[in-house]
Amino acid sequence: CARDRDAASCCGAAGALRVPPRAGDALLVYAHNADGSIDPASEHLVCPVLRGESLVAEFMFVYDPWRPVSFDDGARPEVQTEIVFKNEGDVDVSIVWVPPHGGKESPMGHVAPGRTFSLDTFPTHVFKVTDPAGSVLSVAKVPGAGVHEHIIQARATKLEM
């Protein structure tokens, strides 16, 4: 539809993409390409409402365009490291990541007796080791770069008769 035409005439134009309204539906239009440039194909309009009502919410996202990191400009990625959980006990355990600034803890995996479990992570990350009931058996804090081993020696308790 030509820019100099009014919206009503564009809404009826042949070949125009139309999204028929249905209660509860939403339409999301991205106005930018991944490099931050405006996508001309995202130009759109809202046709006049003939029956009922229409709600339009517009958000402007401002961001720096994506660019590859060059190590020549002094930028360096964070130091990544690895933590290996080694279960020398006789109880299945769970590994839980503790977010550094609060929030919901994330289960990362399980370690059966006699097995190991490795995670790529970053220095200062904290993990809890829990038993099947959810009790904390130990806490591991990643000290720095490199490979770090956390030994788990949980034993099942036996009832005396």
Side-chain angles (χ1 to χ4, degrees), residues 78-157:
E78 290 188 52
V79 176
Q80 193 166 4
T81 188
E82 180 181 1
I83 186 163
V84 179
F85 295 91
K86 185 175 182 183
N87 189 351
E88 294 181 352
D90 59 6
V91 177
D92 281 331
V93 297
S94 296
I95 309 300
V96 179
W97 177 66
V98 181
H101 303 292
K104 187 176 179 186
E105 295 179 352
S106 299
M108 302 303 292
H110 300 276
V111 190
R115 305 297 303 253
T116 61
F117 179 71
S118 298
L119 285 171
D120 289 331
T121 188
F122 293 94
T124 74
H125 277 189
V126 176
F127 298 89
K128 290 180 183 176
V129 178
T130 62
D131 66 12
S135 299
V136 177
L137 302 172
S138 63
V139 175
K141 182 175 181 181
V142 180
V147 178
H148 303 279
E149 190 173 66
H150 185 77
I151 306 295
I152 304 156
Q153 296 180 332
R155 302 279 175 215
T157 55

Side-chain angles (χ1 to χ4, degrees), residues 39-50:
D39 179 359
S42 70
E43 187 174 19
H44 61 281
L45 61 90
V46 177
C47 294
V49 177
L50 302 176

